[in-house]
Amino acid sequence: MQIANSAIENCTTSFSGGVSVRIFIPSGNPEELKIIEVLNWIGKGFVFPRALYAQVRQNHELVRSGVYVLWGPDESTQRLRVYIGEGDPVRARIDSHVREQDFWTHAVVFVSKDQNLNKAHVRSLASI
C-alpha cells in the first residue's frame, strides 16, 4: 500500500544479536534526513546532507549533549575525510563547523532521547 505524499519510511530490521533499528525519513526521500532509533536504546541518530543542516538544526533534540561525525571528500588525497566531535549542546558545535569547515558534505548526530547523556558520557563516546 502506498501512502500518498507520505513523509514516512518506517522500517524495523533485525540483525544478528537481536537488534532492531527504526528509520524514519520525514521527506520520504532517503537522500535527505533520516532519523534512526535503536529499540531499547536511549539514543537517537540524525543522518543528513550538509545542504539540509539549516532545516535539521531546528530539531529541539539537537540542543542536548551529543556525539557527531562529519564526513566528505578530502580533495588533496582523494579519500574520505572524517571528523568526530562532541558538544553540549551538539547544535552549537555543528553550527561552528558550518561556519569554519568546508570539507564535510554529510553528518550523523547522536543524542539522548530522554536527556540521559551528559557531557561525561558524550566525551567518552567521542573518544572511542
Side-chain angles (χ1 to χ4, degrees):
M1 177 173 116
Q2 182 177 5
I3 301 173
N5 275 334
S6 172
I8 300 173
E9 179 178 301
N10 188 357
C11 62
T12 303
T13 307
S14 289
F15 298 96
S16 63
V19 176
S20 293
V21 177
R22 186 173 32 214
I23 303 170
F24 175 67
I25 302 174
S27 72
N29 181 347
E31 299 299 318
E32 295 183 0
L33 172 65
K34 294 178 274 305
I35 301 171
I36 313 297
E37 292 187 65
V38 176
L39 302 181
N40 297 321
W41 185 60
I42 64 168
K44 185 181 243 184
F46 299 86
V47 182
F48 55 92
R50 180 182 181 144
L52 293 180
Y53 179 64
Q55 173 190 340
V56 173
R57 80 178 299 281
Q58 301 304 315
N59 189 302
H60 69 280
E61 291 165 308
L62 296 185
V63 299
R64 298 177 182 162
S65 295
V67 176
Y68 59 93
V69 179
L70 308 176
W71 71 91
D74 185 331
E75 294 176 10
S76 64
T77 66
Q78 303 303 313
R79 291 185 171 170
L80 188 64
R81 183 174 170 190
V82 177
Y83 179 88
I84 301 170
E86 48 88 14
D88 185 19
V90 71
R91 181 167 64 190
R93 290 288 295 137
I94 298 173
D95 285 348
S96 72
H97 291 298
V98 168
R99 290 188 306 273
E100 301 167 11
Q101 303 291 330
D102 290 331
F103 79 92
W104 63 283
T105 58
H106 290 82
V108 61
V109 178
F110 293 100
V111 295
S112 174
K113 285 192 271 191
D114 53 12
Q115 298 181 326
N116 279 334
L117 289 176
N118 62 33
K119 183 77 169 175
H121 295 123
V122 168
R123 282 195 172 162
S124 176
L125 287 170
S127 70
I128 294 176

